[in-house]
Amino acid sequence: MSDFDYDLFVIGGGSGGTRAARMAAGETGARVGLAEMSRYGGTCVIRGCVPKKLMVFASEYADVAEAANDYGWEMTRGAFDWPSFSRHLNAELDRLEQVYRDLLSKAGVTTYDARATLRDPHTVELSSGEVVTAKHILIAAGGHPVRPDMANADLGLVSDDIFHLERLPKSILIVGGGYIACEFACILKGLGVDVTLYYRGAQILRGFDDEARGLIAEEMGQRGIEIHTGTNIVEMRCAEEGEIEDPDEARMGASVDQIGELAGDSGLATQEREDDTEAAERKGPIWVKSTNGGEHVFDAVLFATGRKPNTDDLGLEAAGVQLGRRGEVKVDEYSQSSVPSIYAIGDVTDRVALTPVAIREGMAFVDTVFRGEPTPVDHAYIPSAVFTQPEMGSVGMTEEDATEQEEVEVYCTSFRPMQTAFIGRPDRVLMKLIVSKASRRIMGCHIVAPGAGEMIQLAGVAIKMGATKEDFDRTCAVHPTMSEEIVTMRKPVRSG
């Protein structure tokens, strides 16, 4: 009999942690405990991918009536009912959280609704007062959005807060230029909010392919999103009465009771809901001064300026776990930390902050530790999508990164798709392949188009398998589709 209470104790009930716990308990027979201080499902299910994507769907209906009229239908656009959508959204999140709880229970995982901290490499102390020991500990605590270090930053929202608003603001300033900033800019614009975006860099979506992100910026601008690059906030405060055009309409705020009602409060994680509504209780509007000297008043300000691993006050350093400069747990290719008994996966490691990656890391951890099959985490050729309007899908290297590595050929086309060109809209899409001159292998694929996330998943299979440009050329096109261009581009537009 082991001297430990558990073979594995997991800190964090997000997608990565729950997958590791379920596999270890249900498939290898390990004794597993898991602690989650908030809601099961983590960032993705509760305050990230899932609610955001449902908001994307909602926002995309804004132009349906107008497009349908152009196609011969008689339709009238109605108003968007945020409280109704919010109730439905939160009921769905409650359902998904219960699914996570049920899956853990069926796998035989013992769960603790408590905050966990480390006493030493094998001991976990829970906020409920219990102390447990484990042969292995897996840190899967995720990350959180951060506000900039400036006066009155607490007046602004972060991405978590968007899902807890009583009603939508009439205008919003989004600070940041990454995928979260751009996705919420498109979502909120589609839901009827006037959106302005400040980004201190020269172009939004840094790190993505230059040509692709340029088209995204252009399309966002055509949809009425006001983008100011090279711009940041230097000062913000509550707007004074004389600065507010319509003080009654500009007010936005919600009490904890109102949020509980909107959320269809099931009794799950009530404290987190109360914590998450702090920003919703901050009254707008907000006066902002920018680096270019402009002064404006917005109903709300959303900071999408970065995320930080949830490692504060976990007892990691006291247990001997080495952290990086951003507070991330430093791990090797097997997700093992500097302490042999402690592993970490997901956003807390600041490697690739994507839910499917955290799940893969959790599975590799179980193979390595509980199946005796050392499995390094594979972070090569990971497909990803940015759910702007239009979407962007990417897999592999950008043109800029690839050309620094070797000689490449670039195949690219941008055009007006049939569906919107027919009704006279200026929307454009982009299909792009980066090809190694030496091996002919496709090093990168980038798509900007409606449904690009769906397309890139399928392209990612071929590219992960090592497909060459000639493999794509041999593939027959599906006509008429946007995606057929991926296999019909014959001449490179440039090389180098």
Side-chain angles (χ1 to χ4, degrees), residues 59 82 148 154 294 329 347 398 423 434 452:
S59 69
W82 169 257
D154 62 318
V329 180
D347 293 5
T398 66
I423 55 178
I434 317 298

Side-chain angles (χ1 to χ4, degrees), residues 56-282:
V56 168
F57 291 146
S59 69
E60 289 176 338
Y61 286 101
D63 296 329
V64 166
E66 181 183 349
N69 286 328
D70 290 337
Y71 267 94
W73 292 88
E74 291 185 10
M75 285 191 185
T76 302
R77 175 175 171 174
F80 177 68
D81 186 343
W82 169 257
S84 174
F85 171 78
S86 185
R87 283 191 294 271
H88 192 181
L89 173 66
N90 282 286
E92 175 65 5
L93 301 187
D94 286 346
R95 184 189 72 81
L96 292 173
E97 179 179 10
Q98 192 59 53
V99 168
Y100 269 67
R101 289 174 176 267
D102 291 344
L103 288 171
L104 287 167
S105 177
K106 289 176 183 177
V109 178
T110 302
T111 57
Y112 299 85
D113 292 350
R115 176 175 173 78
T117 56
L118 298 183
R119 276 192 180 179
D120 60 46
H122 294 283
T123 307
V124 176
E125 183 174 358
L126 303 171
S127 57
S128 59
E130 297 171 85
V131 176
V132 298
T133 59
K135 183 177 182 179
H136 303 283
I137 295 172
L138 178 65
I139 309 298
H144 64 275
V146 295
R147 291 180 174 82
D149 183 14
M150 63 176 294
N152 295 321
D154 62 318
L155 295 173
L157 307 168
V158 291
S159 57
D160 290 1
D161 303 320
I162 293 294
F163 311 113
H164 298 274
L165 297 175
E166 178 191 11
R167 63 190 179 100
L168 294 176
K170 295 184 70 176
S171 65
I172 192 167
L173 169 64
I174 298 178
V175 183
Y179 73 93
I180 294 175
C182 295
E183 287 175 340
F184 275 113
C186 292
I187 288 168
L188 293 170
K189 182 63 180 179
L191 298 181
V193 180
D194 291 332
V195 178
T196 302
L197 186 146
Y198 287 178
Y199 178 51
R200 64 185 181 181
Q203 181 60 284
I204 61 172
L205 296 170
R206 181 172 63 88
F208 290 91
D209 186 85
D210 281 355
E211 205 163 5
R213 63 189 183 129
L215 181 56
I216 291 288
E218 181 182 325
E219 293 294 316
M220 287 173 64
Q222 288 187 358
R223 283 163 171 75
I225 297 168
E226 196 173 319
I227 299 176
H228 297 268
T229 55
T231 307
N232 205 348
I233 291 181
V234 292
E235 188 179 350
M236 65 185 292
R237 57 170 168 77
C238 290
E240 298 174 358
E241 187 172 346
E243 297 168 329
I244 305 171
E245 293 182 7
D246 190 342
D248 292 329
E249 289 297 321
R251 294 294 177 185
M252 55 172 259
S255 67
V256 170
D257 291 340
Q258 288 170 319
I259 291 294
E261 181 181 351
L262 281 175
D265 197 347
S266 64
L268 298 175
T270 302
Q271 182 60 52
E272 188 208 349
R273 284 190 179 138
E274 293 178 359
D275 292 342
D276 280 350
T277 59
E278 282 185 23
E281 292 178 326
R282 303 182 190 110

Side-chain angles (χ1 to χ4, degrees), residues 394-411:
S394 296
V395 61
M397 304 181 76
T398 66
E399 178 182 347
E400 295 70 40
D401 289 341
T403 53
E404 289 183 2
Q405 181 172 303
E406 62 177 278
E407 291 259 339
V408 300
E409 290 181 346
V410 177
Y411 296 78

Side-chain angles (χ1 to χ4, degrees), residues 308-309 311-312 316-317 321-331 337-338 348-350:
K308 186 177 184 298
T311 54
D312 291 346
L316 293 170
E317 292 171 296
V321 175
Q322 185 179 357
L323 302 181
R325 63 181 184 85
R326 298 190 67 251
E328 74 277 14
V329 180
K330 299 191 74 171
V331 294
S337 77
S338 56
V348 79
T349 67
D350 200 30

Side-chain angles (χ1 to χ4, degrees), residues 284-340:
I286 299 170
W287 173 90
V288 168
K289 183 175 181 179
S290 65
T291 50
N292 60 18
E295 298 180 16
H296 301 279
V297 174
F298 301 93
D299 289 354
V301 173
L302 168 64
F303 289 114
T305 50
R307 296 178 62 85
K308 186 177 184 298
N310 286 331
T311 54
D312 291 346
D313 303 320
L314 280 184
L316 293 170
E317 292 171 296
V321 175
Q322 185 179 357
L323 302 181
R325 63 181 184 85
R326 298 190 67 251
E328 74 277 14
V329 180
K330 299 191 74 171
V331 294
D332 64 14
E333 60 181 335
Y334 299 99
S335 296
Q336 188 175 42
S337 77
S338 56
V339 177

Side-chain angles (χ1 to χ4, degrees), residues 442-466:
I442 295 174
M443 301 173 68
C445 176
H446 308 282
I447 302 173
V448 176
E454 305 291 346
M455 296 185 211
I456 205 67
Q457 177 68 85
L458 301 180
V461 176
I463 293 169
K464 182 71 172 176
M465 292 175 67

Side-chain angles (χ1 to χ4, degrees), residues 404-426:
E404 289 183 2
Q405 181 172 303
E406 62 177 278
E407 291 259 339
V408 300
E409 290 181 346
V410 177
Y411 296 78
C412 186
T413 181
S414 181
F415 56 94
R416 295 171 64 197
M418 177 189 295
Q419 184 176 13
T420 49
F422 177 73
I423 55 178
R425 295 192 175 185

